[in-house]
Amino acid sequence: METAPRGERTASQPGTVASRMCGLPVASPGNESFQASVYMINVVSKAFFSLMCALTFLGQESEDGKICFVKIHATWDVLITYAEVLNIKVPIKENDIPSTVENPLDCMLAPLRLPEKVMHPEPDYFTAPFSRDKQELYLINDESTFFSPSMRNRIVNYILTRCPYGTEEGKKKFGIKRLLNNGTYTAAYPLHDCQYWKKANDPNCENERYTLYMEWARFLRFYKEQPLDLIRKYYGEKIGIYFAWLGFYTEMLFLAAVVGLICFLYGLFTMDENMSSKEICDPAIGGEIIMCPLCDQDCEYWRLNTTCESSQYSHLFDNVATLFFAIFMGIWVTLFLEFWKRRQARLKYEWDLVDFEEEQQQLQLRPEYEAKCTHKKKNPVTQMEPYLPITSQAVRFCISGTTVLFWVSIFLNHHFNTYQKIPRTHMEYENRLTMKMFLFQFVNYYSSCFYVAFFKGKFVGYPGAYTYMFNRWRNEECDPAGCLIELTTQLTIVMAGKQIWGNIQEAIVPWICNWWGRRKARNNPENLYSRWEQDHDLQTFGALGLFYEYLEMVIQFGFITLFVASFPLAPLLALMNNILEIRVDSWKLTTQYRRPVAAKAHSIGVWQEILNGMAILSVVTNAFIVAFTSDMIPRLVYYYTASENEDSPMSGYINNSLSVFQISDFPDRNKPKLNPENFVICRYRDYRYPPDHEKKYLHSMQFWHILAAKLAFIIIMEHVVFIVKFFVAWMIPDVPADVKAKIKREKYLTQKILYEYEFEKLKERLCQGGKQATEEEFITTEGRMELSRAM
């Protein structure tokens, strides 16, 4: 951006902020000189200055002189102050709990393993929340490396998001986000530690970005495990937990893909034995059956054997194996969710997130919430805190509810901002935003599939009495081969074509944007094109970056669970896509995006509840697809009640499933304009009495028998699957037994270390005759130690 010369700039012009990592300045670019930045800090409120005075600022212009970078460095005093505020856990002793017994199959999995240094870049420690008064208790070997880059990243961001800089109409104005939104600064971000294609010149730099690129982000490493500990160390727990979930989901898809492929092959190998398609393709049977037109006046009569090929393909997905696969997927989704809970519990322990929710998410108020609240109330945990009066909450809730209902009703797919009861914490805010946006996306992605599966062709009436919408538009009928093949075609397009195109877009678009942004700098030597400028030219991951990654995968999860009864190959296509997805996501995050601000998360959040809800809904949808969209139940009813040929029980089914209509009964509105062969009758898919029956065109008894069988099937399938699901969920504990034992053991040892430390300090103070040490303190501390041993 163009800027005025240094001497002419004012405090109102844009600037930038950053922090220092790995010996290199982590900068965010802007358009303001260093002098202007210093001036801005000097004129703002004392509160801002008291928070920021310990941060050091350096300024440097870009090579073209148009952008000035302001670099922020957090000193040791700032780091230890906010480490205590944020309750950051740090090492106090190396973990001495024996590791889990090795798996006998590990030797077979050796080709999939990464080097130990990559998988576990740091030793495992017992940890405790940091306290300034107990610094000698922690394993502080080097102050410059004691706090990891992601921790320092988080601390600086915490400070910048809460620094007040003024007031407006009695409300505080604070935080770097607001300054970014109003153009005071153009960007704020931490730097990558080195180039992704080569190591840094600084020998003290750990080159984690380079390691991630070489061992994780390249597609040729698609068969290797993910270095989750290194991902967590470099990007933070929130991004780490996403890739852990995505990897686990992909692993579980392998089993579903194998079973789905077997079911598909069964349909393929039995295609020639399908009596229904044989009768349709037979010129003497299907060729002689004249079908009624599919639209009014302009459509012609057609012969049933014109659907020969589509009826054969329909058997691939509409057979007995499909029924088995629908039941299997209902159990698979339960196993996936239960085993993920166990995997998540293990990560929570390994990543020191066991107590994270209460300490971090629940008690930290969002700066935006604090800014909007002018009232305060007493909180038993945090004492006085801001709050919104009930009247304001009610108004916001009503406006929010009305807005949501309005947009859902017209099925719009776009971002939205609605007023509501303002979320207090970051967790509440993210959960509500995620749920709202997912509901919108749910309607947009699945509405067409729900329509084809459960509505299309179900309420069309019959020839001569078709159903019309608003007395104008005739309800749409299914493809002549049935609605199931249409649903299968939709899922094939989504699972194959759309996913491939989506991955291409995810990779190509940021690469093109970055290539275009760096076009002027490509001819400059590296000493002029600085590290912070290079990172400035990368794409921004954004606050919703991770949301869209989760959304993409959860939408896919919906397609392979909600409609899997119509397409057994969906898990296989999802597996192949996800193998590519992991490497595309890791490549673009490592090479094409600025380094995101590190954030903690102990789980996948509200997405877990969304997955649980979709798992339950999938049982219902698949039961209805088998019952009402496929021909499974009508064929079974015919086999057991109407078949007359013992040698070939299904012969005659096609003729039995088609009703007869007398063409002369067509009203003018429906009657085709042309009937060159002077057909007298035509057939249509339904179970109604023929025109010569006293109950002309009314539903026959066979219709009611089939309907009863469909409803009975739905009830039986749902109950069987739900019973198995709940039994499996009950049998599998959410937290593995060894993890529970380790958590208890670590809590005990940590408490013991802390109490012994306090005990020794009290003894020193007593020996030195300290006035602050009392006999009661000594007895209390000794009692805590005894209690800890007893536990």
Side-chain angles (χ1 to χ4, degrees), residues 416-434:
F416 61 92
N417 290 308
T418 59
Y419 292 101
Q420 62 165 18
K421 177 183 175 182
I422 298 177
R424 294 175 60 254
T425 65
H426 288 282
M427 183 178 68
E428 292 176 359
Y429 173 77
E430 290 184 4
N431 287 350
R432 292 181 185 179
L433 179 63
T434 297

Side-chain angles (χ1 to χ4, degrees), residues 283-296:
I285 302 176
E288 295 298 322
I289 296 178
I290 308 303
M291 302 297 293
C292 297
L294 297 177
C295 67
D296 294 337

Side-chain angles (χ1 to χ4, degrees), residues 291-297 301 462-466 474 661-672 675 679-684 697:
M291 302 297 293
C292 297
L294 297 177
C295 67
D296 294 337
Q297 297 184 343
Y301 301 99
Y462 62 93
Y466 289 116
R474 176 174 158 181
F661 181 77
Q662 188 169 310
I663 292 177
S664 60
D665 290 339
F666 265 128
D668 293 338
R669 180 178 185 178
N670 305 132
K671 191 173 183 178
N675 185 6
F679 296 124
V680 177
I681 62 170
C682 63
R683 310 293 293 273
Y684 59 98
Y697 301 141

Side-chain angles (χ1 to χ4, degrees), residues 86-88 154 356-364:
L86 294 175
N87 213 25
I88 291 177
R154 210 156 55 89
F356 168 70
E357 181 175 2
E358 180 180 357
E359 296 172 351
Q360 301 286 18
Q361 297 283 27
Q362 298 289 0
L363 302 183
Q364 286 183 19

Side-chain angles (χ1 to χ4, degrees), residues 514-532:
N514 290 335
W515 175 84
W516 182 256
R518 293 193 301 264
R519 68 191 186 281
K520 294 181 180 179
R522 281 193 290 272
N523 297 325
N524 293 332
E526 189 170 344
N527 62 339
L528 293 179
Y529 190 37
S530 62
R531 287 289 305 115
W532 40 92

Side-chain angles (χ1 to χ4, degrees), residues 61-201:
E61 288 188 347
S62 61
E63 184 271 335
D64 59 10
K66 297 179 180 180
I67 300 175
C68 181
F69 296 84
V70 179
K71 294 159 284 182
I72 299 176
H73 170 63
T75 64
W76 174 253
D77 287 338
V78 171
L79 292 174
I80 61 177
T81 298
Y82 283 92
E84 186 170 12
V85 170
L86 294 175
N87 213 25
I88 291 177
K89 291 184 175 181
V90 294
I92 57 174
K93 180 185 177 182
E94 192 162 347
N95 193 335
D96 59 358
I97 299 177
S99 58
T100 308
V101 179
E102 292 187 2
N103 190 333
L105 300 178
D106 279 350
C107 58
M108 299 176 59
L109 300 176
L112 309 180
R113 304 295 187 196
L114 289 173
E116 183 66 17
K117 179 61 179 175
V118 177
M119 287 301 298
H120 305 288
E122 294 178 330
D124 192 14
Y125 295 102
F126 292 140
T127 60
F130 186 83
S131 173
R132 291 171 60 103
D133 300 331
K134 302 175 183 177
Q135 291 188 44
E136 62 271 23
L137 177 64
Y138 308 110
L139 301 179
I140 306 177
N141 298 321
D142 184 352
E143 291 183 355
S144 63
T145 59
F146 179 67
F147 293 105
S148 68
S150 61
M151 287 180 184
R152 300 202 301 272
N153 179 336
R154 210 156 55 89
I155 289 172
V156 172
N157 181 70
Y158 180 86
I159 297 172
L160 294 178
T161 55
R162 284 163 172 77
C163 290
Y165 58 86
T167 57
E168 182 178 321
E169 298 179 355
K171 294 184 179 180
K172 292 181 180 178
K173 296 192 296 184
F174 54 83
I176 189 63
K177 291 182 182 178
R178 183 161 182 168
L179 293 172
L180 290 170
N181 291 336
N182 64 24
T184 304
Y185 292 85
T186 60
Y189 56 89
L191 275 183
H192 286 291
D193 61 0
C194 65
Q195 304 282 14
Y196 68 85
W197 65 86
K198 67 177 182 179
K199 293 184 177 181
N201 296 327

Side-chain angles (χ1 to χ4, degrees), residues 320-341:
V320 178
T322 305
L323 173 59
F324 162 77
F325 189 59
I327 297 174
F328 167 81
M329 286 300 293
I331 300 171
W332 173 88
V333 72
T334 303
L335 292 173
F336 163 63
L337 294 173
E338 293 302 318
F339 283 133
W340 165 246
K341 290 178 185 177

Side-chain angles (χ1 to χ4, degrees), residues 2 145 221 583 615:
E2 296 289 337
T145 59
R221 313 293 281 180
R583 304 304 156 176

